């Protein structure tokens, strides 16, 4: 009986190409708008023409350009020859930014447009917002799918198979388990605070800014809390090798959660300007949760890397050998 191994590989190659192209086309309008805003053109309000806002838009324009390069790398043969860290770092940050936002986009998009209209933004701002939302959704769908095909070709051990593949010589499992449990405590505390605030709790909220808790703030706060809790679960399961049979669910939870906690903390720090509407949280509470998220995200990412390193060297892993069905994208 003949076994046709080329057909799945061909489907995977087409998935990579198509998803990468979708991401490039989707991100292009976002990059264009952000470049215009960075130069102070077509800004919807006078305050967004200030130096701080323009710097923030320039930073996000750079992120958009990186996203386009990544989409091309995921869908082209030369992408598999890039150094692993050069791919993994922006992917970690990008998935942390995009995946949570993609889940909230159907609600946050209209809410943001209504809020800006109430604030007196001009009509053309609505069309810019629509383009931005289309870009974010397209990137949030296209980039992860292209990454899925890319990772299956380059790092198959990072996506599939059973949770426990055995321990290699010199395994750091004891260190992983200890670090994961400590970090999980921090994630649970941060998640509980965020969920408490999202549910209407006022401890740690500035009494003079209670009216600033709009639907945008509530959903983003709840999203951070939920992802922090999901990351705590995923990290402990990965490090202890207990809790589920399969590797992908806890890996996805820990990867997205760590990237989300880090990237949103850094983004909030970059957009912390005097011109912006003050956050409802008390400044000390906002700073504490923001810094905690950044530190937890980085340390969680380090534990995930330790897990992946041991998994690749494990008796049931690939041991660094190339897969016979490695996909090449033409």
């Amino acid at each position: 009986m003949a076994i046709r191994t080329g057909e799945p590989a061909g489907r995977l190659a087409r998935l990579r190409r198509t998803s990468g192209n979708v991401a490039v086309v989707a991100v292009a309008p976002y990059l264009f708008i952000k470049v215009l805003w960075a130069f102070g053109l077509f800004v919807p309000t006078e305050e967004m023409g200030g130096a701080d806002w323009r710097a923030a838009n320039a930073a996000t324009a750079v992120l958009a350009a990186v996203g386009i390069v990544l989409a091309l790398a995921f869908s082209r043969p030369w992408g598999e020859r890039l150094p692993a860290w050069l791919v993994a770092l922006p992917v970690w940050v990008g998935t942390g930014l995009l995946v949570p936002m993609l889940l909230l986009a159907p609600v946050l998009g209209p809410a943001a447009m209504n809020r800006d209209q109430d604030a007196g933004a001009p009509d053309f701002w609505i069309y810019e917002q629509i383009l931005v939302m289309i870009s974010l959704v397209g990137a949030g769908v296209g980039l992860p799918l292209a990454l899925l095909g890319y990772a299956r070709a380059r790092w198959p051990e990072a996506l599939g198979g059973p949770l426990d593949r055995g321990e290699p010589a010199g395994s750091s499992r004891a260190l992983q388990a200890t670090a994961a449990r400590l970090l999980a405590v921090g994630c649970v505390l941060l998640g509980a605070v965020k969920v408490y605030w999202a549910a209407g709790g006022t401890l740690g909220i500035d009494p003079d800014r209670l009216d600033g808790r709009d639907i945008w703030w509530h959903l983003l706060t709840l999203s951070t809390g939920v992802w922090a809790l999901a990351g705590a679960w995923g990290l402990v399961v990965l490090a202890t090798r207990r809790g589920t049979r399969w590797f992908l669910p806890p890996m996805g939870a820990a990867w997205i959660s760590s990237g989300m906690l880090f990237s949103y903390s850094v983004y909030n720090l970059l957009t912390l300007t005097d011109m912006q509407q003050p956050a409802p949280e008390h400044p000390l509470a906002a700073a504490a949760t923001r810094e905690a998220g950044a530190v937890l995200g980085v340390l969680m990412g380090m534990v995930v890397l330790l897990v992946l390193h041991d998994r690749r060297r494990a008796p049931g892993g690939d041991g660094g050998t190339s897969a016979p069905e490695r996909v090449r994208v033409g």
Side-chain angles (χ1 to χ4, degrees):
M1 180 178 64
I3 299 177
R4 297 194 303 173
T5 58
E7 188 173 341
R11 286 199 300 267
L12 190 59
R14 289 193 295 272
L15 174 67
R16 289 175 62 182
R17 275 198 305 270
T18 303
S19 301
N21 292 336
V22 167
V24 169
V25 173
V27 175
Y30 181 86
L31 174 61
F32 179 67
I33 290 173
K34 288 295 184 175
V35 169
L36 290 178
W37 290 349
F39 284 100
L41 302 174
F42 299 104
V43 290
T45 62
E46 192 172 313
E47 70 175 23
M48 285 188 65
D52 291 334
W53 272 103
R54 291 171 66 177
N57 284 316
T60 50
V62 172
L63 288 177
V66 170
I68 289 176
V69 173
L70 281 177
L72 293 173
F74 293 158
S75 56
R76 301 295 187 273
W78 55 264
E80 293 184 33
R81 297 191 292 270
L82 294 174
W85 67 267
L86 191 61
V87 176
L89 182 60
V91 165
W92 179 63
V93 174
T95 52
L97 280 171
L98 288 175
V99 173
M101 184 59 68
L102 178 64
L103 299 176
L104 299 175
V107 178
L108 286 186
M113 287 186 276
N114 290 335
R115 183 180 64 178
D116 294 332
Q117 272 189 316
D118 294 339
D123 291 339
F124 70 81
W125 169 242
I126 303 301
Y127 301 106
E128 289 178 330
Q129 285 283 68
I130 292 173
L131 281 178
V132 167
M133 295 308 301
I134 291 174
S135 293
L136 290 176
V137 171
V141 173
L143 272 176
L145 288 177
L147 172 62
L148 178 64
Y150 178 87
R152 284 290 298 272
R154 187 169 182 180
W155 302 299
E157 72 280 356
L159 289 179
L163 177 64
D164 194 348
R165 284 186 167 179
E167 298 300 321
S171 168
S172 61
R173 182 169 178 175
L175 173 62
Q176 296 168 26
T178 301
R181 290 187 177 102
L182 292 174
L183 291 171
V185 171
C187 287
V188 169
L189 291 175
L190 177 62
V193 169
K194 290 290 188 175
V195 172
Y196 166 75
W197 282 344
T202 57
L203 183 63
I205 303 296
D206 191 327
D208 297 330
R209 299 173 185 166
L210 293 177
D211 293 339
R213 300 179 300 169
D214 56 10
I215 187 173
W216 179 278
W217 179 86
H218 276 285
L219 286 178
L220 286 180
T221 303
L222 179 61
S223 175
T224 303
V226 170
W227 280 109
L229 296 174
W233 169 80
L235 201 67
V236 171
V237 170
L238 287 178
T240 62
R241 319 293 198 267
R242 291 197 299 269
T244 183
R245 288 184 57 194
W246 303 109
F247 180 71
L248 185 57
M251 174 62 184
W255 179 274
I256 296 172
S257 173
S258 59
M260 188 264 189
L261 292 177
F262 173 77
S263 59
Y264 275 73
S265 297
V266 173
Y267 181 78
N268 288 335
L269 184 62
L270 290 175
T271 57
L272 192 63
T273 67
D274 292 334
M275 298 181 193
Q276 201 176 27
Q277 180 180 355
E281 301 94 324
H282 188 279
L284 288 178
T289 53
R290 182 176 62 245
E291 303 307 323
V295 172
L296 286 170
V298 170
L299 295 178
M300 290 168 69
M302 293 174 66
V303 173
V304 169
L305 290 179
L306 289 175
V307 171
L308 290 174
H309 177 71
D310 280 0
R311 184 174 177 83
R312 187 170 182 83
R313 295 170 53 245
D318 290 334
T321 59
S322 60
E325 295 181 21
R326 176 151 303 201
V327 178
R328 286 295 175 187
V329 182

